[in-house]
Amino acid sequence: MTKHHLIALAAMLASGAALAEYPDKPITIVVPFAAGGPTDKVARDLGVALGAALKQTVIIENVGGAGGTLGAAKVAKATPDGYTLLLHHIGMATSPGLYRKLPFSVENDFEYLGMVNDVPMTLVGRPNLPANNYAELVKWLEANKGKINLANAGLGAASHLCGLLFQQSLKIDMTTVPYKGTAPAMTDLLGGQVDIMCDQTTNTTTQIEGGKVKAYAVTTMKPLTTPALAKLPTLDSQGLKGFNVSIWHGMYAPKGTPAAVIDKVNAALRTSLKDADFIKKQEALGAVVVTDGRLAPAEHKKFVAAEIAKWGPAIKAAGQYAD
Ligand code: ASP
């Protein structure tokens, strides 16, 4: 055996040892939005299942602000050892078109770990908004032009994208009020400080079920089957032909995370997405757990690239950018 062989063998044994040990301390999943919101809810339920699969504690850290880009930037710069991961949504695909100076590259600064779920969105209003259905809402919006407050979770958030398309489709400009996530936005909507919001069903289902907000429509082409949401019409059927926003979540690690660690997290993710309790919780909130090829990191990366190409033109047309 040559010296080179010995070095290669030592390196193999060392990475094998690292893999055998991983994870030997708690793993942090960064959620780039406020606690208690729709992305956070997915992360916390997934964290329980992942923790069981990896036999390790999973901690959720909320790093909200700037439409999810602050949290994503934090993970892009973290040590690539598998102990700092990111759970993010469609914002991974919308932020490259919205930020002139994004502090990370969606394509080059992350390892893709697999996708988690697809989540529809809903259009909801403050409880004291006089409109009781979508047709009445449109009339109210027309009558209140220049005075409408639309809440969102910042430029690049799902609520921003959905609200942007809604304004474009109706040709009504609204004043957007950005929050660190739609959990605090929901608090203000419930309090009547803002008028309407587009948000994932993982945040709105409970509020709709409890009659706490006015619910106007779903953003998918087909009505939903979740009992609390089944009566909501689609925007497509209400005159906004082709309106279709369904968001998704995926998991990421900093670029350079060892392949063996990525494989281990991906295997744990696959186990978690078969967990009956996780599936039940997601279904009750209108989300659909991924079971297709997007569970594979390479397919996940391809899907995100396709989403960047899909949403780029609509974002450009809206002419909304941040530095
Ligand atoms: N629903 C938020 C968004 O607009 C994110 C969140 O608070 O989870 O993207």
Side-chain angles (χ1 to χ4, degrees):
M1 207 181 262
T2 66
K3 193 177 155 200
H4 286 302
H5 281 125
L6 279 174
I7 292 170
L9 184 68
M12 257 173 62
L13 291 174
S15 77
L19 173 63
E21 284 162 15
Y22 177 83
D24 66 354
K25 60 179 183 186
I27 297 166
T28 297
I29 297 182
V30 171
V31 168
F33 296 105
T39 311
D40 183 68
K41 278 191 192 115
V42 173
R44 284 179 197 269
D45 287 342
L46 182 64
V48 171
L50 270 178
L54 288 165
K55 298 189 178 57
Q56 189 51 261
T57 305
V58 171
I59 298 160
I60 305 297
E61 185 186 348
N62 299 90
V63 184
T69 58
L70 299 184
K74 178 166 183 169
V75 176
K77 291 187 192 92
T79 307
D81 56 5
Y83 291 100
T84 307
L85 307 176
L86 172 71
L87 181 102
H88 201 351
H89 64 21
I90 195 170
M92 282 299 259
T94 54
S95 51
L98 284 161
Y99 287 79
R100 285 203 184 88
K101 281 187 233 138
L102 202 57
F104 53 83
S105 158
V106 172
E107 197 191 352
N108 301 320
D109 290 346
F110 296 96
E111 304 291 349
Y112 289 61
L113 301 174
M115 289 188 49
V116 177
N117 60 9
D118 291 290
V119 191
M121 299 190 80
T122 46
L123 183 64
V124 292
R126 59 178 158 85
N128 56 351
L129 204 126
N132 288 318
N133 54 46
Y134 182 74
E136 287 178 17
L137 175 69
V138 174
K139 276 194 197 134
W140 185 85
L141 293 172
E142 293 280 356
N144 287 278
K145 278 184 185 165
K147 290 186 277 181
I148 307 153
N149 287 324
L150 169 75
N152 71 23
L155 223 62
S159 47
H160 172 249
L161 173 72
C162 182
L164 194 63
L165 294 180
F166 185 57
Q167 291 176 80
Q168 278 180 349
S169 309
L170 281 184
K171 299 190 178 54
I172 297 177
D173 284 338
M174 304 174 197
T175 305
T176 48
V177 185
Y179 293 83
K180 283 193 174 172
T182 42
M186 179 61 89
T187 305
D188 274 9
L189 190 83
L190 292 172
Q193 281 92 347
V194 286
D195 299 314
I196 56 169
M197 170 165 80
C198 236
D199 200 15
Q200 286 100 296
T201 55
T202 41
N203 197 30
T204 59
T205 303
T206 322
Q207 308 292 354
I208 293 173
E209 218 166 16
K212 301 252 166 46
V213 290
K214 293 270 167 87
Y216 297 113
V218 289
T219 63
T220 44
M221 293 295 277
K222 282 193 190 147
L224 305 178
T225 50
T226 306
L229 308 168
K231 284 202 187 105
L232 285 181
T234 65
L235 285 172
D236 175 75
S237 71
Q238 298 291 300
L240 300 188
K241 278 281 154 249
F243 196 106
N244 188 15
V245 183
S246 180
I247 76 113
W248 39 267
H249 292 97
M251 286 195 67
Y252 307 83
K255 188 78 184 174
T257 302
V261 169
I262 294 169
D263 289 349
K264 210 158 183 182
V265 177
N266 180 256
L269 180 61
R270 288 172 189 268
T271 305
S272 304
L273 299 190
K274 287 193 195 122
D275 182 279
D277 191 47
F278 179 69
I279 294 172
K280 203 171 128 207
K281 281 186 177 144
Q282 292 296 295
E283 281 177 355
L285 295 176
V288 180
V289 172
V290 167
T291 53
D292 56 35
R294 294 173 301 161
L295 269 170
E299 289 304 310
H300 174 195
K301 192 167 184 176
K302 263 196 217 159
F303 178 81
V304 174
E307 286 281 286
I308 292 174
K310 175 178 163 186
W311 294 111
I315 289 166
K316 254 203 188 122
Q320 296 201 359
Y321 300 102
D323 286 333

